[in-house]
Amino acid sequence: MKSPFADQTEYEPWLPKSEEQLAEQQAWQEQLIASGKFTIGKGAYISPKSQMLSPHFSCGNRCMIAADSLVRADLEMGNECSINSFAVLAGKIRMGDMVRIASHVSIFGFNHGQENINKPFCKQACTTEGITIGDDVWIGANVIIVDGVTIGSHSLLAAGAVVTKDVPPYSIVGGNPAKVIRDRRNPKTKKQDIKSLLSDFGQMVREDYPNVLNDAYDSEKNCYVDNQQQREPTSRAWCDAVEIAAFFGETPKHFSKEALIEQLQSYQNPATGCFDRGVEDPELPPLSRVAKSGYDYLSIGYALECLGSHLKYKNTYLDQVTADDLVAREEQLSWKKNAWGAGAWNDHLGTAVYHDRKYHNGTYDLSTLFGWLNMNCCPATGIWGERTKAGKWLQPVNGFYRLTRGTYAQFGQPLPYPVDAIDTILMHCRQHEKFITRNVTACNVLDIVHPLWLCAKQTDHRQAEIEAIFRAQVPAIIKRWQPGKGFAFSADHHPGLQGTEMWLSILYIVSHYLGLTQHLNYKPKGVHRVEVALNL
């Protein structure tokens, strides 16, 4: 009686076989050997359903050839080789031991003549260089190997590869035409899960950030500097030190909280509430006086909040600014050529209003500001300003961040065209290779990450693309940390406080979008916090 598994065994000849099947196989091999063309080793199995049309065939011990394979090659195989169903072997082929050939593989050890353009291909003589395959080679499904190729031992040809050149030993190759992906002797590094990557980094930063602050502390001047190469004391260095410590719910160890508050509040002019260091320009209109020292509002005001304090003096000029003044100023800004500068001006104004309203009973009406911005945002791009010939979308996209951070994000207001803004920002990302390896500065990356994060509050438009960019940013950012020094603003800068505060914030915003902030072990609480600062 014929085995019910006979057909399965023909297609999977390594399966156990009945006595009847083994007897049938023995008779079939004797018939092949009798033709004078076949030499077959011990324990081999050649399915009678295979097409064995070889002019010369030799195989070693325990070789397997499955049903529906086509072997019309001058073929020599070592021991323990296998040919699966629907594989096609033709021409001259030599292979070593333990070669595995998957289904639908095509190995052609010959080629049609093609040099004589006056003859049809079918009239030209075939050429044969032959194919050599070493020991322990795995040839994946649908691989094609052309004449003249040598496959080194211990190599893997990935499914679908079209192999047109020699393959070095121990190689993994793939593609069309096939290229070496890696050497098997160099083990593939296991890709760390993004959650554990963030968790490990967050724990490391918590332990190392005091060293970064120590590196930026100037003991002679008893102050903070950005880094040991840039020794000029600045208000921003003090603020960055405060904000970095606040990420971890702490304050810098070099000064008491009271001393830090006193230092930061000393930068404000008591008479005006501005940061002009006591130098007034009587010719400036009120609105210009407000925004002239606007970056100090961003750094000093938020750093004081991290210390549980706030700006000490009310800005005396805000209440003098009329709606007409604001509109006139907006229309004077260089939106076409300097969209970043225009956006920064709005960031400064919005932040000055924020501190005034929250801590000094300010009554400045923001309806004119948001009304003008909404009316002048481009519906086609979702942003303010126009691309430039030299920088393309860099100015308007970076300006979008500055503008929206101090206005829409800070006061919890909806953006006018978030879908269109996402399209523009992603176009900008593509032009700069997603800011992973090209044009990488803390500003350039922050200025895509925060806007995409902000737009996503209103829409899930192109969510998968944004997520892919953000996931790629995580390891790219983390690997730039320098122990005891922190982050550099960019590759051509020294690591210091500014780069550290900005890159830590960027990584947090990325993680916030991905829903993974719980793994980071820190949280921005100042200028780059993700919460609405004052909900209107």
Side-chain angles (χ1 to χ4, degrees), residues 94-231:
R94 302 290 183 263
M95 65 181 72
D97 298 332
M98 293 178 286
V99 175
R100 294 289 183 267
I101 300 173
S103 297
H104 300 283
V105 167
S106 299
I107 306 177
F108 297 115
F110 76 101
N111 206 347
H112 286 288
Q114 57 178 318
E115 297 301 325
N116 191 339
I117 61 172
N118 297 314
K119 277 188 177 182
F121 293 119
C122 62
K123 300 292 184 180
Q124 299 188 49
C126 289
T127 60
T128 301
E129 296 181 46
I131 293 172
T132 302
I133 303 172
D135 298 328
D136 180 32
V137 173
W138 177 13
I139 303 174
N142 294 294
V143 166
I144 298 174
I145 305 174
V146 302
D147 190 31
V149 167
T150 296
I151 309 296
S153 297
H154 315 293
S155 292
L156 186 160
L157 312 187
V162 179
V163 185
T164 61
K165 295 181 180 179
D166 290 352
V167 174
Y170 292 95
S171 295
I172 297 176
V173 301
N176 179 10
K179 296 180 180 179
V180 175
I181 297 172
R182 69 176 174 91
D183 189 314
R184 291 181 61 212
R185 290 167 293 191
N186 299 326
K188 184 177 180 181
T189 303
K190 185 177 180 182
K191 202 169 187 178
Q192 189 176 9
D193 177 77
I194 193 169
K195 295 179 182 178
S196 60
L197 191 64
L198 290 169
S199 180
D200 290 349
F201 177 76
Q203 183 60 41
M204 180 277 296
V205 171
R206 176 174 283 275
E207 296 171 359
D208 198 28
Y209 95 82
N211 299 322
V212 177
L213 298 191
N214 283 334
D215 189 61
Y217 174 65
D218 189 322
S219 58
E220 293 181 4
K221 298 177 182 179
N222 195 32
C223 69
Y224 290 109
V225 295
D226 186 65
N227 58 62
Q228 290 302 321
Q229 281 68 40
Q230 298 177 12
R231 301 294 296 271

Side-chain angles (χ1 to χ4, degrees), residues 330 346 369-377 384 403 407-408:
E330 293 284 11
N346 279 274
L369 175 63
F370 282 109
W372 191 94
L373 292 174
N374 288 340
M375 290 177 62
N376 287 275
C377 183
W384 295 263
L403 185 155
T407 55
Y408 293 89

Side-chain angles (χ1 to χ4, degrees), residues 521-535:
N521 204 28
Y522 69 80
K523 182 179 182 180
K525 297 178 182 178
V527 63
H528 295 124
R529 61 188 165 196
V530 296
E531 295 83 10
V532 173
L534 184 63
N535 201 321

